[in-house]
Amino acid sequence: MTIERAHSIKHTCWRCKEPVGGPVCASCGAIQPPPPGADFFALFGLTRRHSLDLSAVEAAYRALSRQVHPDRFARKSAVERRMSLQWTATANEARRVLKDPIARAYYLATGSPRPKEEGGPQLDPAFLESVFELQMNARLDPEGVADAGAAMKAAAQAELDAIFHAWESGDGDLSAVEERLARLKYIDNILSAAQSAG
């Protein structure tokens, strides 16, 4: 896998018309507009993968934040102050998504850090039936339901990890990720119900 870096995004400075490869023009010091629909991994110069070193995410976030922080542009034009705020918002969202394993998984699989509002993946009827049974038993046997839910969660997480491992090795795709994430959400609901009843 190649490492895509934010500073490898080439364009022309809006002010001095010199080539620019980052958020701030090296020639005139003008902040540049954030690239529309910027890939969060490329923004931080990280490889697109699910297994990330979170300290690398944090270091990349801090480096970018230092370059685009609004305090650096407080005495600049309104346009530059606005671009600084846009960069800051983009960097904050990228950091939030990349540090959260669920949001990161959705982002890699769909391009969005959140599930769709409507029309999610079709879940296996047998899985839904087992979820329903566990929900019905949550008040009667919260400890047993918690144990069963924990086992289901471990299995679903292992399947999700295997999907990402295969993809990162170049031997798979991410088409099943949404379905596994939907399963994990159902299982988390079961675990919450068992904990509330316990």
Side-chain angles (χ1 to χ4, degrees):
M1 292 198 175
T2 60
I3 296 180
E4 303 169 71
R5 299 199 177 274
H7 63 265
S8 69
I9 300 167
K10 302 291 184 191
H11 59 276
T12 303
C13 175
W14 60 271
R15 179 186 283 163
C16 71
K17 309 303 183 209
E18 290 293 318
V20 178
V24 178
C25 177
S27 297
C28 70
I31 190 167
Q32 304 300 301
D39 178 85
F40 292 161
F41 292 89
L43 199 69
F44 287 166
L46 300 171
T47 302
R48 284 181 63 84
R49 57 186 299 124
H50 190 255
S51 53
L52 283 180
D53 176 0
L54 297 186
S55 64
V57 174
E58 192 63 26
Y61 165 77
R62 288 183 187 278
L64 179 59
S65 292
R66 278 193 296 274
Q67 287 184 289
V68 300
H69 196 278
D71 288 350
R72 292 191 63 200
F73 299 92
R75 295 177 182 235
K76 301 287 186 179
S77 68
V79 169
E80 288 182 272
R81 290 195 308 270
R82 187 170 53 251
M83 283 190 241
S84 172
L85 292 172
Q86 290 170 342
W87 267 105
T88 300
T90 301
N92 287 340
E93 175 70 356
R95 176 190 189 213
R96 184 193 68 75
V97 169
L98 296 186
K99 289 187 85 171
D100 179 332
I102 299 297
R104 188 167 66 245
Y106 273 115
Y107 185 73
L108 282 167
T110 69
S112 171
R114 289 173 277 289
K116 298 173 195 159
E117 295 278 330
E118 296 177 12
Q122 293 286 348
L123 294 175
D124 176 36
F127 170 78
L128 292 173
E129 188 175 325
S130 63
V131 165
F132 179 72
E133 286 178 22
L134 288 172
Q135 286 173 334
M136 295 302 290
N137 291 326
R139 289 187 182 202
L140 300 172
D141 182 16
E143 192 174 309
V145 168
D147 290 344
M152 287 174 73
K153 183 169 184 170
Q157 187 63 55
E159 290 174 6
L160 187 63
D161 292 344
I163 291 167
F164 277 113
H165 180 73
W167 177 71
E168 290 169 5
S169 300
D171 294 332
D173 63 49
L174 302 180
S175 59
V177 167
E178 274 190 282
E179 193 270 345
R180 294 309 190 280
L181 291 170
R183 283 184 182 220
L184 283 169
K185 188 172 181 178
Y186 272 95
I187 294 165
D188 283 340
N189 290 340
I190 291 168
L191 292 170
S192 294
Q195 185 176 17
S196 299

